[in-house]
Amino acid sequence: MFRKISLALAATMIMAGAAWADPIEGNWKTQAGSTAAITGGGSSFSITLKSGKYSGKNIGSFKAAGENKYTGTITDPDTDKTYSGKASVSGTSLKMSGCVLGGLICKSQTWHKL
């Protein structure tokens, strides 16, 4: 009986943990067609490409900056240049932008949750 209760409690906790995941966490289809995995805990998140030419490359890190908003850095895998970045999640879309010159010149992309 104790074993059944323990298994039920463990299953409930696993399901609750998934429900409490931050909206930015998960796998995303980039504008270039690659898959990017965003993982983390607390308020820090890391972006790693999981498919495509640069598979395995870490291309960014973000911190939570408000409800469904994030700030940090994003790296262009083609050039290895790193930019200040912003991201925001709306439903199954993630709008990413990288900026230079204090935000005067920015480039944006929209990724979609897989």
Side-chain angles (χ1 to χ4, degrees):
M1 169 115 170
F2 178 72
R3 181 182 165 118
K4 287 182 182 178
I5 292 171
S6 294
L7 289 174
L9 181 59
T12 301
M13 291 178 73
I14 289 169
M15 290 171 58
W20 290 331
D22 198 279
I24 199 170
E25 290 180 284
N27 291 318
W28 297 87
K29 181 65 75 176
T30 69
Q31 204 162 297
S34 300
T35 298
I38 301 180
T39 58
S43 64
S44 295
F45 304 93
S46 178
I47 305 169
T48 303
L49 292 174
K50 294 296 182 185
S51 70
K53 183 177 177 180
Y54 300 102
S55 182
K57 185 170 187 134
N58 184 302
I59 60 162
S61 74
F62 283 85
K63 292 193 179 290
E67 190 170 333
N68 299 333
K69 297 194 184 302
Y70 308 86
T71 59
T73 59
I74 189 81
T75 301
D76 180 340
D78 284 328
T79 63
D80 268 342
K81 291 185 180 180
T82 300
Y83 304 94
S84 64
K86 291 190 285 186
S88 62
V89 177
S90 178
T92 60
S93 294
L94 172 63
K95 184 172 181 181
M96 305 279 290
S97 65
C99 302
V100 295
L101 299 174
L104 291 176
I105 301 171
C106 299
K107 186 173 183 181
S108 296
Q109 290 189 3
T110 300
W111 296 1
H112 298 282
K113 193 128 193 183
L114 295 175

